Amino acid sequence: MDFEPLGLATDLVILTVRDGRLQVLLIRRGIPPYRGRWALPGGFVRPDEDLETTARRELAEETGLSAERIHLEQVATYGAPDRDPRGRVVSVAYLALVPDLPAPVAGSDAASASWVDATDVLDDSGRLAFDHHRILADGVERARAKLEYSPLATAFCPAEFTISELRGVYEAVWGLPLDPRNFHRKVTKTRDFVAPIGTTTTRDGGRPAQLFHRGTATTLHPPMTRG
Amino acid sequence: MDFEPLGLATDLVILTVRDGRLQVLLIRRGIPPYRGRWALPGGFVRPDEDLETTARRELAEETGLSAERIHLEQVATYGAPDRDPRGRVVSVAYLALVPDLPAPVAGSDAASASWVDATDVLDDSGRLAFDHHRILADGVERARAKLEYSPLATAFCPAEFTISELRGVYEAVWGLPLDPRNFHRKVTKTRDFVAPIGTTTTRDGGRPAQLFHRGTATTLHPPMTRG
DNA sequence: GCAAAAGTGTTCGGGATACACCCATGA
DNA sequence: TCATGGGTGTATCCCGAACACTTTTGC
């Protein structure tokens, strides 16, 4: 068994939708390398820790959420020999989708964390440390793609939501407007995408809207379509 | 920097279509652990070697093909602490799609390698060593999904192929029959999926069929549909 | 009443499906 | 001539896009 010196880490692309825009949680690095630069939250995998366990632990540390109910999925692994100036570090990237947090971002480890518009970061390929721009791009692309054929958009919503709130998620992630009428019909007619609760709300203004919670579907038939 | 003792490997899901069926390249392990059991080909990442470089090297060793023109993509990374009895080994899985090889499988390292029906292996979850059953399942699922929205099926074909040979790929991977007439129209009308060469062949019998090579498309609009 | 958002009805066009039918070769 | 697969035409159906219109609240 040849165990070369090697670090194993996970990095997190934590996305949310706030103010109608797709945002990503970034931290400002307090220590070298890339001190003072923005980066994705992440950390090393502990011995005997599963990769997803590491990711959930990091997620809980950064967001303050008990991460059990948060959607988390592996995106890809990055292992270019020179991607970290400290030595060989291979990083497994995870994508997390969280609802708009009522509480502010919790302490994290002294480094400052904040929500940043994902499109702004993607437009500036030099803003992030390491190869995190690429990781973010891959994570966002994954999220955009999965909205089409999975009910994942509900992961951005609180437990109870209206159809137009769900539409707001699609519009924010895809960055384009959708027809409210056709969207409403499509969502409510797709089997097990959402389930009506029976109560209504007027928090979005106008006529009271029905409240829904997630359905039981894992894939959407037929899929939602982008433009 | 905490560099715990850790092995980093790549495992390959190498798929082809032979005799109208989806087949996977397996090796019989000559050394413990799991000696004598079937497994996916794979090996450790060398220092200063990129992950994909490792995968291409392994692919070349196992198939004898200069792996440059072979489709290769990362699928997922598997890192359960107990997945390898020798110690902590994290494996990055890659999916390779190769045409039906005219040459037999090259020597590989003394272990015997052979093509096996993928569905047979998937039906017997205890046949493969380590967590390779799961890795194979994920790889095959990726291949099935990508045939829908990418021109990847051509990766299973030689440089020049007929539409019905391409259809054979879809039928083998998806495991269901497709209407030859509608398939023909769909493929030839989808922009840049395939490009006619101008010559014909009668190798499939019947009326001579036009030969095509891959088009320039990276995604299919509209996608091919399953069932 | 008026604005605003929810929700329904309807029309139109394109793609999927099913299948009839003709074409070009080998045997 | 027949068998075999290649390829085209066409009718039907469903779904997505577009949009007119009605409903139900707050102000």
Side-chain angles (χ1 to χ4, degrees), chain B residues 164 181 184-185 204 206-207 209-210:
Chain B
S164 75
R181 287 101 31 128
H184 184 282
R185 195 184 352 244
D204 298 323
R207 168 177 166 179
Q210 277 207 275

Side-chain angles (χ1 to χ4, degrees), chain A residues 161-184:
Chain A
F161 53 88
T162 67
I163 299 294
S164 75
E165 286 163 359
L166 185 64
R167 176 167 50 83
V169 169
Y170 276 89
E171 293 177 330
V173 176
W174 287 348
L176 42 83
L178 299 173
D179 185 293
R181 289 97 36 126
N182 292 333
F183 183 87
H184 184 281

